[in-house]
Amino acid sequence: MARVTSDNTKEYLESFLPEENSFVLKAKAEARRWQKDQISLSAYEAHLVCFFIRQFRCVRFIELGTLAGYSALKILESLPTEGHLWTFELNSERAQFASALFDEAGYKGRYTIIVGRAEEQLATIVAEAPFDGIFIDANKSSYPFYLDWSLKHLKPGGLLLADNTLMAGVADTHSPHPEKMIRELRAFNQELFQNPGLEAVILPTMEGLAVGVKRFS
Ligand code: DHB
Ligand code: MG
């Protein structure tokens, strides 16, 4: 499970959160079964994401990187009943699992799951723009593309969130991650702060959560 902070503080922060429902727990267990729980959001990271979604009053929202559906279920819970989530997943078996779980949780008709490379598949939803928000949590090499796409298709004032922008060691010369991934995330962060189309911060959690707002002009 990705960490928001040290283990003790993580446990303390999570003690304030309500119990997770059986559907969310099922998504978490499945991610663990796939040995992908280390890349799934932690409960507190999901809480941060949903806090922004609610405060920005997002209705039409995009997620890149469904995995087993843990974050998507929490996002769906945070959107109003007339809202819609478009969530993208590269792997069709994962998408099938997540889709069945969303239906079981009562969200049929309130989400669209799109299988394939998000960089290509995003084009299939441009007619649905503008969107109120986007959460980027897929392949790190496409983060600059996702940022560019988001600025074209978010409404002015729209919310941009991105996970892992400080991924353990982006700012560290002894990073445990592949050099390529670190270079890509550094390029994304540079763009995030320099692009005149948005104002952004990076919340300095362990993984780094970027929060940006598309400018009005
Ligand atoms: C990786 C991806 C993630 O989205 C994450 O939260 C942690 C790690 C990865 O690709 O290594
Ligand atoms: Mg992530």
Side-chain angles (χ1 to χ4, degrees):
M1 195 67 45
R3 287 183 300 165
V4 73
T5 180
S6 68
D7 287 345
N8 285 346
T9 307
K10 177 178 181 283
E11 212 168 286
Y12 176 67
L13 291 173
E14 287 180 359
S15 74
F16 295 107
L17 303 181
E19 298 258 306
E20 296 188 311
N21 68 43
S22 64
F23 307 108
V24 167
L25 290 174
K26 198 165 162 184
K28 194 184 261 188
E30 190 68 5
R32 198 176 310 122
R33 215 172 61 77
W34 300 337
Q35 299 188 338
K36 290 287 174 194
D37 50 323
Q38 72 286 358
I39 72 164
S40 186
L41 284 195
S42 67
Y44 206 81
E45 286 172 319
H47 182 62
L48 289 174
V49 166
C50 292
F51 168 81
F52 286 107
I53 290 174
R54 285 189 297 267
Q55 296 308 316
F56 276 73
R57 306 274 194 274
C58 291
V59 178
R60 300 162 65 75
F61 198 83
I62 301 171
E63 174 185 59
L64 307 181
T66 318
L67 201 63
Y70 176 80
S71 42
L73 283 168
K74 293 194 169 187
I75 292 169
L76 283 162
E77 210 174 290
S78 302
L79 296 176
T81 49
E82 74 275 20
H84 199 87
L85 173 69
W86 289 265
T87 183
F88 291 74
E89 174 54 47
L90 176 65
N91 179 301
S92 62
E93 281 121 65
R94 287 183 198 154
Q96 266 170 30
F97 174 86
S99 175
L101 190 55
F102 301 158
D103 291 348
E104 205 185 319
Y107 292 113
K108 217 179 181 105
R110 287 166 60 180
Y111 74 91
T112 306
I113 189 158
I114 299 130
V115 181
R117 279 169 48 80
E119 204 170 317
E120 288 151 18
Q121 298 301 320
L122 275 165
T124 65
I125 63 161
V126 289
E128 305 283 353
F131 298 93
D132 302 311
I134 183 163
F135 173 47
I136 304 170
D137 192 17
N139 59 314
K140 311 311 166 202
S141 56
S142 299
Y143 269 37
F145 173 89
Y146 299 145
L147 176 58
D148 187 59
W149 191 93
S150 300
L151 290 178
K152 290 192 181 111
H153 302 290
L154 281 176
K155 69 176 183 190
L159 173 67
L160 181 139
L161 300 167
D163 188 33
N164 310 114
T165 70
L166 295 178
M167 186 187 267
V170 164
D172 179 346
T173 49
H174 301 287
S175 168
H177 289 280
E179 204 179 302
K180 181 171 169 284
M181 189 186 274
I182 298 301
R183 273 202 313 273
E184 289 158 353
L185 288 169
R186 283 182 180 153
F188 174 81
N189 290 342
Q190 189 81 31
E191 182 63 19
L192 187 74
F193 284 106
Q194 275 181 355
N195 194 306
L198 86 164
E199 177 162 9
V201 294
I202 295 177
L203 298 183
T205 61
M206 294 288 274
E207 294 291 319
L209 178 69
V211 184
V213 184
K214 179 173 164 174
R215 288 190 199 276
F216 282 84
S217 57

